[in-house]
């Protein structure tokens, strides 16, 4: 049975059922009104006619929606690939209740047709295959073409030079075995590709500041990709690299200089904190409450400065892909309580009560103690800084619905406007409303996100302006992590800050 016939039968069946249903309802209504309620025939006829009219209108509306579904999906498919930006998404074929097979086969034909037309530009624009070959060869930028198995089908001479090899060495190899790419966010080439493969026939995308490690050096470039589904030539993906190694390298050097200077602050700071502790121990019993208060503030400020220094150093590590986590089995209640305790003084000097509640029976987690302390430190420090008139901060740990250990830090402070929430985890982002009154760098949340992602968890925020904010993050139970390790070639649980965004699943430790 062909797809069109199938659709015709489907529609007939639906209509038949709908009309049958209407008739049964009307007969039932007639029987109920005349036999059970004993209404006169004229009244029964009027009510049943009204009901019939209402039902017919309703069925017409519902039926037209159903019947038009295939047409709408085809309309979407055509506009989706038509030239120009129509802002129409590819149809979701799984959601189709009628005509699924017909639409799926026609959509495939449309996509095939477009990719063929794209592949034979001479037919549409009157140019020649020789011309395209000549353009590719003369292109002064690295160009790589991949098939749908991600093997290299073509690499021009600049690509070979860029990788310090020859084109013959590249062709036929798996792309990821030759290109060790690192992206600065989780929108990677792989993630994008798996998205477009499901939804589009043609798509393009660009990335900036992509890194590639070669034997001796690190290259940095912007990357452009063009995807073409089921292209008859077998070329699925065309990649063009725009090298910016010099420029981006200079930025990195400037960042390293800052990191180096900040590194030098650590020694005097540690000494300073040591002296403050000695003074506190020796002098506190003899001090007036006012002077003792100053002493506490001095210690809290020195601790804050230490946290700032360690943030800057860690951001430099994240950016240079040098943050390595060593995950160990820990009792989360113990880690969280210890980290929270460290911040009690900082909260107390601001008149804030900091409480920590850990649910019973939490499983152990796999964490890097030093890095996870940074996360808790940053989130509680923010809760203190942005508490406004709020006088309480509640830290809680419990199991989430999907079996992860979830920690929340809730304050009752200034809150965050909805519009700025998507930017909070960006590097250097600071909300303009409070940046003039409250000190900060805009690095804390960026760092928290990188550290939590490297642990294999998620971080999120919920906030109401003027009422307060809750930050939450999840961690994998240790058993899950250990399972992952068992199935991996890499037996050591070591993760980089960019571990989850490496392009190849082999990397995940
Ligand atoms: P900062 O050093 O500025 O605190 P973060 O990256 O830690 O940098 O935070 C980024 C921005 O997010 C802050 O400038 C602030 O506007 C907002 N923010 C973070 N935590 C809170 C909170 N608990 N309440 C209100 N705003 C917050």
């Amino acid at each position: 049975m062909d797809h069109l016939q199938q659709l015709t039968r489907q529609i007939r069946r639906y209509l038949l059922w709908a009309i049958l249903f209407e008739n049964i309802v009307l007969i039932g209504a007639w029987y109920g009104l005349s036999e059970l309620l004993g209404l006169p025939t004229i009244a029964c006829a009027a009510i049943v006619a009204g009901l019939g009219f209402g039902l017919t209108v309703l069925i017409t509306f519902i039926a037209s929606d159903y019947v038009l579904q295939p047409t709408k999906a085809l309309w979407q498919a055509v506009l989706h690939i038509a030239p120009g930006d129509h802002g129409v998404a590819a149809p979701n074929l799984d959601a189709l209740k009628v005509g699924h097979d017909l639409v799926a086969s026609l959509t495939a034909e449309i996509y095939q047709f477009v990719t063929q037309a794209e592949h034979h530009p001479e037919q549409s624009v009157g140019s020649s295959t020789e011309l395209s070959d000549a353009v590719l060869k003369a292109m002064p930028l690295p160009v790589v073409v991949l098939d749908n198995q991600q093997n290299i089908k073509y690499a021009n001479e600049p690509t070979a030079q860029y990788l310090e090899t020859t084109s013959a060495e590249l062709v036929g190899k798996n792309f990821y075995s030759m290109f060790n790419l690192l992206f600065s966010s989780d929108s990677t080439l792989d993630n994008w590709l798996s998205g477009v493969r499901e939804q589009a026939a043609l798509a393009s995308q660009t990335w900036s500041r992509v890194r590639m490690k070669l034997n001796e050096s690190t290259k940095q470039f912007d990357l452009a990709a063009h995807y073409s589904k089921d292209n008859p030539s077998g070329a699925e993906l065309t990649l063009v690299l725009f090298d910016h190694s010099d420029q981006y390298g200079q930025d990195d050097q400037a960042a390293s200089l800052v990191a180096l200077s900040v590194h030098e602050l650590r020694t005097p700071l540690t000494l300073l904190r040591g002296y403050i502790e000695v003074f506190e121990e020796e002098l506190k019993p003899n001090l007036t409450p006012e002077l003792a208060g100053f002493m506490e503030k001095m210690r809290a400020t020195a601790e804050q400065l230490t946290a700032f220094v360690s943030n800057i150093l860690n951001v430099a590590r994240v950016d240079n892909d040098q943050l390595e986590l060593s995950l160990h089995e820990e009792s989360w209640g113990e880690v969280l309580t210890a980290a929270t305790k460290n911040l009690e003084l900082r909260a107390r000097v601001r008149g804030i009560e900091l409480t920590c509640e850990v649910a019973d029976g939490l499983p152990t987690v796999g964490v890097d103690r030093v890095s996870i302390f940074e996360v808790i430190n940053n989130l509680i420090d923010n809760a203190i800084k942005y508490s406004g008139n709020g006088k309480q901060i509640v830290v809680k740990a419990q199991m989430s619905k999907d079996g992860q250990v979830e920690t929340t830090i809730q304050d009752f402070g200034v809150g965050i406007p909805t519009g700025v929430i998507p930017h909070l985890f960006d590097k250097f982002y600071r909300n303009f409303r409070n940046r003039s009154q409250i000190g900060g760098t805009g690095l804390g949340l960026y760092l928290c996100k990188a550290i939590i992602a490297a642990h294999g968890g998620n971080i999120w925020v919920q906030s109401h302006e003027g009422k307060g904010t809750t930050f939450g993050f999840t961690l994998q139970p240790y058993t899950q992590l250990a399972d992952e390790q068992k199935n991996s070639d890499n037996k050591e649980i070591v993760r980089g800050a960019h571990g989850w965004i490496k392009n190849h699943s082999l990397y995940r430790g």
Side-chain angles (χ1 to χ4, degrees), residues 300 303 340-355 380-381 383-384 391-393:
E303 275 167 10
T340 309
K341 218 162 181 49
N342 279 350
L343 289 143
E344 264 171 12
L345 173 72
R346 237 185 278 173
R348 203 168 57 234
V349 296
R350 301 275 195 112
I352 296 171
E353 188 197 4
L354 177 61
T355 55
I380 299 185
D381 194 44
I384 298 173
K391 290 287 165 245
Q392 209 194 356
I393 295 170

Side-chain angles (χ1 to χ4, degrees), residues 382-383 385-386 411 414-416 424 429-431 434 439-446 469 471:
N382 276 348
K385 279 198 301 192
Y386 302 104
D411 66 58
V414 295
I416 306 170
L424 282 186
Y429 181 79
R430 307 208 59 221
N431 180 4
N434 45 35
T441 55
L443 293 175
L445 292 179
Y446 169 76
T469 304
F471 276 92

Side-chain angles (χ1 to χ4, degrees), residues 184-487:
S184 57
S185 79
D186 53 4
S187 120
T188 64
L189 178 62
D190 241 12
N191 289 346
W192 171 75
L193 198 57
S194 32
V196 292
R197 273 192 178 135
E198 278 173 17
Q199 303 192 351
L202 297 172
S204 298
Q205 177 70 289
T206 55
W207 294 262
S208 60
R209 288 183 182 267
V210 179
R211 284 162 180 258
M212 178 169 60
K213 288 209 172 131
L214 291 178
N215 295 337
E216 302 279 299
S217 57
T218 300
K219 301 271 190 202
Q220 297 197 55
F221 50 88
D222 294 347
L223 178 69
H226 178 72
Y227 167 82
S228 165
K229 194 187 192 82
D230 297 336
N231 195 304
S233 71
E236 185 186 60
L237 197 65
T238 306
L239 300 169
V240 186
L241 280 65
F242 303 85
D243 183 59
H244 292 297
S245 297
D246 287 346
Q247 184 202 333
Y248 292 162
Q250 276 170 11
D251 294 352
D252 285 353
Q253 269 175 7
S256 308
L257 184 68
V258 172
L260 203 74
S261 328
V262 172
H263 194 262
E264 290 306 301
L265 283 175
R266 281 199 328 178
T267 319
L269 252 175
T270 314
L271 286 175
L272 195 68
R273 283 175 56 201
Y275 289 132
I276 293 175
E277 270 173 31
V278 174
F279 273 139
E280 261 195 324
E281 265 176 34
E282 298 290 323
L283 297 181
K284 218 172 177 182
N286 308 322
L287 291 180
T288 61
E290 196 189 10
L291 286 178
F294 286 162
M295 190 68 99
E296 281 200 333
K297 280 193 180 128
M298 220 153 80
R299 179 143 78 90
T301 312
E303 275 167 10
Q304 204 172 358
L305 198 54
T306 313
F308 165 79
V309 166
S310 105
N311 262 359
I312 304 263
L313 289 175
N314 277 327
V315 166
R317 285 193 195 116
V318 168
D319 286 353
N320 291 328
D321 197 35
Q322 284 168 350
L323 185 82
E324 279 212 340
L325 304 186
S326 186
L327 307 183
H328 294 278
E329 184 171 13
E330 302 269 7
S331 144
W332 183 237
E334 191 260 306
V335 175
L336 186 65
T337 320
T340 309
K341 218 162 181 49
N342 279 350
L343 289 143
E344 264 171 12
L345 173 72
R346 237 185 278 173
R348 203 168 57 234
V349 296
R350 301 275 195 112
I352 296 171
E353 188 197 4
L354 177 61
T355 55
C356 179
E357 299 165 22
V358 179
D360 290 334
L362 283 187
T364 54
V365 287
V367 289
D368 178 289
R369 220 179 150 97
V370 176
S371 309
I372 213 72
F373 259 57
E374 299 273 350
V375 172
I376 305 168
N377 233 17
N378 271 302
L379 295 181
I380 299 185
D381 194 44
N382 276 348
I384 298 173
K385 279 198 301 192
Y386 302 104
S387 256
N389 296 326
K391 290 287 165 245
Q392 209 194 356
I393 295 170
V394 183
V395 179
K396 273 190 195 161
Q398 70 238 323
M399 278 318 270
S400 74
K401 283 191 199 99
D402 51 357
Q404 306 288 298
V405 177
E406 185 171 64
T407 306
T408 52
I409 288 107
Q410 184 180 18
D411 66 58
F412 301 88
V414 295
I416 306 170
T418 319
V420 310
I421 286 187
H423 308 290
L424 282 186
F425 296 96
D426 293 351
K427 192 162 151 188
F428 296 125
Y429 181 79
R430 307 208 59 221
N431 180 4
F432 67 95
R433 297 215 189 155
N434 45 35
R435 73 179 156 210
S436 53
Q437 303 111 35
I438 303 170
T441 55
L443 293 175
L445 292 179
Y446 169 76
L447 195 61
C448 290
K449 186 169 177 201
I451 294 175
I452 291 298
H455 275 86
N458 277 318
I459 185 162
W460 51 264
V461 58
Q462 259 180 1
S463 189
H464 292 288
E465 226 184 328
K467 291 198 174 145
T469 304
T470 303
F471 276 92
F473 63 88
T474 55
L475 291 170
Q476 284 176 297
Y478 185 75
T479 43
Q480 246 179 46
L481 202 67
D483 280 350
E484 221 180 88
Q485 181 206 15
K486 243 186 268 156
N487 298 331

Side-chain angles (χ1 to χ4, degrees), residues 20-79:
L20 242 155
F21 166 77
E22 184 180 1
N23 283 328
I24 292 172
V25 172
L26 293 182
I27 293 168
W30 183 276
Y31 177 79
L33 294 169
S34 63
E35 297 298 321
L36 302 179
L37 300 180
L39 294 187
T41 310
I42 185 85
C44 292
I47 295 174
V48 170
L51 188 65
F53 178 74
L55 275 175
T56 309
V57 170
L58 187 71
I59 288 173
T60 313
F61 268 86
I62 297 176
S64 58
D65 262 2
Y66 269 77
V67 172
L68 281 177
Q69 269 188 5
T71 318
K72 190 176 163 211
L74 286 172
W75 167 81
Q76 267 182 290
V78 171
L79 281 195

